[in-house]
Structure formats: C-alpha cells, structure tokens
C-alpha cells in the first residue's frame, strides 16, 4: 500500500467548466478561494505528510494550465520540499506545454497527475472548455519526458457502465503508472449537485473491474471514498486498491491519515514507499 497526501496550493477561480468541480468560476459553489499558498504553509503540510507515514506529496492547483509566475512558485516549493524532507513530490497543474513539462521533470517531479476524468464519449457532457484529447496530449508528454503518469477518473458523473469500461480501456492505452479512482461527492452549486452518489456495491464492482484491467498498477483510492464506501472501504483494499490519498482532498475533508495506516495494518498490507524514476533520481 502506497500512501500519498496532497495540498490544494491554489484553490478556486478556475476558468474551466468541469461540471463536478466547485472550483470553477462558472458555478456559484461555496468553495474556498486562495492564491498560491505562502511557502511556509506548503512546507508545514509537507512535514505533516512525512510525519503521517506517507511517502509522496502532491502539489495541486486549480488552473487550466500554469503561467510562468505559478511555475516559479511551484518549482520553488519542489526545491524546498526536496531539501527538507525525504518525500517524493508529485504535481497536478493542469495542461502543460513541453517547456513546462521539461522544467518539472528537471526539478525531479515524481508523478504528474492528470486524470482523463471520464471516457472520451462522455467527456463533452461534463467539460466544454477543453477537450479530452488535450488531456491525453499532456498525459503523453509527461510519459515521453520520463515522469511517471498518474491518470484516472471520477465515477458517478452520470456515465454508463459501458462508459466506465471505455474509460478503463482508454487509460490502459495510456499505460499510466497509477490510476486514481475518485467517486463523485456532489458539490452544492455545481451542475451535478443533485446527483446521487453511486452505491458502495457499485463502487466495489468498479474497483474490481479496474484491477482486472490493470493487474500490475497502483490503483489509488482518491476523493469520495468516505462518502460512497463508508465502512466498506476495507473491501476496496481487498478487492484491488493498493494506494491511498490520505488526509484531506482538494475541497472536501478526508479522514485522519492514521485511520488509513491502521486499516492497511489490520489487513496485513505493508506500507511501502513509492518507487523513483530514473529522471527523478538524477535530479535529486
Ligand atoms: S477540475 Fe480542475 S480544471 Fe476543472 S474546473 Fe476544477 S480545477 Fe478547473
């Protein structure tokens, strides 16, 4: 079991219209909004992550893609985290240009997270301000430059079971290092506010299917698991999950990391550090 924690380093005000997201300027959703956090706050979160037993820390910002100012802030944060902790640093900064991806690789970024969100056929129902193909381009760029790709999706947006399978096989084409599975936690004010979360049984079935499609990958529990699975979270670990985002998510609270560490221990699943890429090892 591999544990990762994330920080929403810049929250809200995003100019994209992803229908599930309370950080979009298109919706009147009561989400927190702040510019890139001061470095000492990012470092405090990184130290807390290290103390929790997690081995990776992901810097997430709510943008279509980073501008130069934001890149500079992220690169400074990566340098400080590498200098002061043993954590692997992951990033999720949206769509990337080649020079931006190269800068992140050269800074020793471990994983780049860029979810497909949902299947190609369902994507235009959920997002209209950018295309599924643009997301794939960034995913391919990340891989081409030697970073590990972390790409998954959100289940429960209104997609059919066929579209869940479509997503799984589209992800298999991309061959990411790990696949985060989110379950929709409907956010007030968004177009999906009234959608019923999927049932625990449905989520467990999806986990099992993704494990069959990806027998040797990290499949990571991400947002919405507490809401959808509640006491059945352990069954997901038995059924195929081998990574967890611990602590809080971007705009919703998770449960204390210690509970997840205990759960993994109770199930006899050892906590292991993430493996490092050649590019990352060289940069560090
Ligand atoms: S999911 Fe990401 S890109 Fe879409 S609105 Fe939210 S922050 Fe912006």
């Amino acid at each position: 079991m591999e544990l990762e924690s994330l920080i929403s380093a810049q929250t809200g005000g995003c100019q994209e219209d992803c229908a599930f997201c309370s950080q979009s300027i298109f919706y009147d959703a009561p989400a927190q909004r702040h510019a890139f956090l001061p470095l000492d706050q990012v470092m405090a979160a990184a130290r807390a992550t290290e103390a929790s037993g997690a081995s990776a820390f992901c810097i997430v910002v709510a943008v279509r893609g980073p501008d130069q100012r934001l890149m500079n802030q992220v690169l400074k944060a990566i340098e400080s985290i590498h200098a002061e902790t043993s954590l692997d640093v992951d990033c999720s900064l949206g769509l990337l240009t080649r020079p931006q991806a190269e800068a992140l690789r050269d800074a020793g970024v471990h994983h780049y997270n860029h979810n497909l969100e949902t299947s190609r056929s369902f994507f235009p129902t959920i997002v209209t301000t950018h295309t599924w193909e643009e997301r794939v381009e960034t995913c391919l760029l990340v891989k081409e430059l030697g970073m590990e790709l972390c790409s998954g999706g959100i289940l429960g947006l209104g997609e059919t079971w066929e579209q869940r399978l479509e997503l799984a096989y589209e992800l298999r084409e991309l061959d990411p290092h790990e696949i985060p599975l989110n379950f929709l936690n409907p956010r007030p004010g968004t177009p999906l506010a009234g959608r019923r979360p999927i049932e625990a049984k449905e989520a467990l079935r999806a986990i099992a299917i993704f494990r069959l499609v990806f027998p040797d990958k990290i499949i990571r529990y991400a947002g919405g698991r507490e809401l959808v699975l509640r006491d059945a979270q352990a069954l997901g670990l038995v059924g195929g999950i081998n990574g967890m985002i611990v602590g809080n998510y971007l705009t919703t609270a998770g449960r204390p990391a210690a509970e997840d560490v205990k759960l993994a221990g109770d199930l006899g699943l050892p906590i292991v550090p993430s493996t490092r890429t050649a590019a990352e090892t060289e940069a560090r």
Side-chain angles (χ1 to χ4, degrees):
M1 183 66 57
E2 192 186 279
L3 305 183
E4 176 189 42
S5 171
L6 56 80
I7 184 169
S8 183
Q10 178 175 307
T11 305
C14 181
Q15 310 217 336
E16 303 302 293
D17 71 348
C18 310
F20 53 83
C21 183
S22 60
Q23 301 194 68
S24 166
I25 54 166
F26 284 80
Y27 315 126
D28 192 16
Q32 207 195 11
R33 188 168 173 166
H34 59 78
F36 198 84
L37 292 171
L39 187 57
D40 59 341
Q41 282 189 42
V42 177
M43 289 308 300
R47 286 190 204 98
T49 295
E50 192 171 34
S52 77
S55 57
F57 182 67
C58 188
I59 299 172
V60 187
V61 296
V63 288
R64 174 188 173 88
D67 58 18
Q68 192 53 50
R69 183 159 178 261
L70 183 56
M71 277 298 292
N72 293 343
Q73 289 167 310
V74 170
L75 291 170
K76 176 83 192 127
I78 294 169
E79 189 186 345
S80 300
I81 297 165
H82 281 162
E84 294 182 35
T85 75
S86 61
L87 293 168
D88 294 327
V89 184
D90 303 339
C91 283
S92 183
L93 315 176
L95 300 168
L96 294 178
T97 63
R98 180 173 287 268
Q100 288 171 337
E102 286 171 349
L104 293 172
R105 182 217 33 211
D106 294 347
V109 164
H110 177 60
H111 286 155
Y112 192 79
N113 167 258
H114 199 56
N115 292 335
L116 291 186
E117 310 298 19
T118 190
S119 69
R120 181 183 205 150
S121 67
F122 192 61
F123 190 86
T125 313
I126 297 298
V127 185
T128 67
T129 47
H130 63 271
T131 63
W132 187 89
E133 287 76 10
E134 284 177 282
R135 301 192 76 80
V136 168
E137 274 171 32
T138 286
C139 290
L140 293 174
L141 180 61
V142 162
K143 284 192 69 179
E144 183 198 324
L145 294 177
M147 286 180 280
E148 285 184 348
L149 173 66
C150 163
S151 186
I154 308 179
L155 305 182
L157 301 174
E159 75 285 348
T160 62
W161 267 109
E162 284 74 16
Q163 286 166 326
R164 286 176 192 159
L165 286 172
E166 189 189 329
L167 171 65
Y169 282 94
E170 286 162 345
L171 285 167
R172 199 166 77 164
E173 289 266 302
L174 272 183
D175 192 29
H177 181 78
E178 70 168 68
I179 300 102
L181 281 185
N182 295 272
F183 305 104
L184 179 71
N185 182 346
R187 298 288 80 209
T190 65
L192 301 186
R195 180 158 285 286
R196 272 183 58 169
I198 63 172
E199 302 209 340
K201 225 167 39 177
E202 208 178 342
L204 292 171
R205 196 168 288 150
I207 290 167
I209 289 171
F210 271 75
R211 175 50 72 205
L212 290 171
V213 176
F214 296 101
D216 56 356
K217 303 286 183 188
I218 293 170
I219 300 180
R220 193 178 292 277
Y221 258 158
R225 65 181 159 110
E226 293 86 351
L227 174 78
V228 166
L229 285 158
R230 301 179 298 278
D231 291 343
Q233 288 185 64
L235 293 177
L237 269 59
V238 176
I241 293 288
N242 59 343
M244 288 192 270
I245 291 178
V246 295
N248 293 335
Y249 304 105
L250 296 176
T251 59
T252 56
R255 59 184 199 166
E259 287 184 28
D260 287 326
V261 172
K262 182 172 182 310
L263 175 61
D266 288 347
L267 292 171
L269 300 169
I271 308 285
V272 295
S274 50
T275 50
R276 288 189 178 160
T277 61
E280 186 189 5
T281 306
E282 192 179 326
R284 294 190 70 171

